[in-house]
Amino acid sequence: QVQLVESGGGLVQAGGSLRLSCAASGRFIGNYAMGWFRQAPGKERKFVAAINWSGSSTYYADSVKGRFTISRDNAKNTVYLQMNSLKPEDSAVYYCAARRSLSYTPSNSGYDYWGQGTQVTVSS
C-alpha cells in the first residue's frame, strides 16, 4: 500500500514563503504522477499543482501560477511544493496525491492515494 505524508506547513505572514514536502513510501509499481490539492474550511477540495512521472512537465491552477512551484525527487520518493508570495486566501489544508499514471490530471477522482494533509495559514 502506498503511503503519503505531508510536512512543512505552518503559520506565515502574507508575502512570505513555505516549502511543503510529501514523502511517499510503500509498494510502487510502475510510475506515478503526483498532485497537490488544498481545502479551506467550508469549501471543496481544489486542485493546486501537478507533476508528471519524470518531473519534466507541470501544471498549475490559475490562482497559484507564477507563485508556486511543484517539483519531485524520485530518488528520495519526495514531492515538493514551493510557495512564494503567499496570500491569506492561500490558507488551507494542503494534500498531496499519487496517480498510477505517467501523466497528471487536475481531477480529484483521478488520484489513487492521498496524504492526511498539512495546515498552511497565511496571516495579513
Side-chain angles (χ1 to χ4, degrees):
Q1 182 178 347
V2 174
Q3 294 180 324
L4 305 175
V5 180
E6 303 96 335
S7 63
L11 176 64
V12 64
Q13 293 184 348
S17 299
L18 284 173
R19 188 193 190 197
L20 305 183
S21 298
C22 175
S25 62
R27 186 168 176 263
F28 280 77
I29 300 177
N31 297 301
Y32 287 77
M34 302 293 296
W36 284 97
F37 294 77
R38 66 187 183 186
Q39 186 170 21
K43 298 183 179 180
E44 296 182 347
R45 188 171 300 183
K46 295 185 177 180
F47 171 78
V48 176
I51 190 167
N52 71 345
W53 70 274
S54 68
S56 63
S57 181
T58 58
Y59 181 75
Y60 299 92
D62 289 340
S63 59
V64 305
K65 194 174 299 182
R67 299 187 298 120
F68 290 10
T69 302
I70 186 172
S71 61
R72 68 190 300 168
D73 186 340
N74 288 343
K76 297 181 179 180
N77 291 323
T78 302
V79 180
Y80 305 96
L81 185 67
Q82 178 67 47
M83 305 184 295
N84 299 325
S85 301
L86 284 164
K87 305 174 181 179
E89 50 263 43
D90 294 320
S91 297
V93 176
Y94 283 71
Y95 300 88
C96 67
R99 167 179 164 85
R100 295 192 297 269
S101 175
L102 297 177
S103 60
Y104 49 71
T105 177
S107 176
N108 292 322
S109 62
Y111 290 83
D112 304 293
Y113 304 99
W114 294 83
Q116 294 300 307
T118 184
Q119 177 71 51
V120 172
T121 303
V122 184
S123 64
S124 59

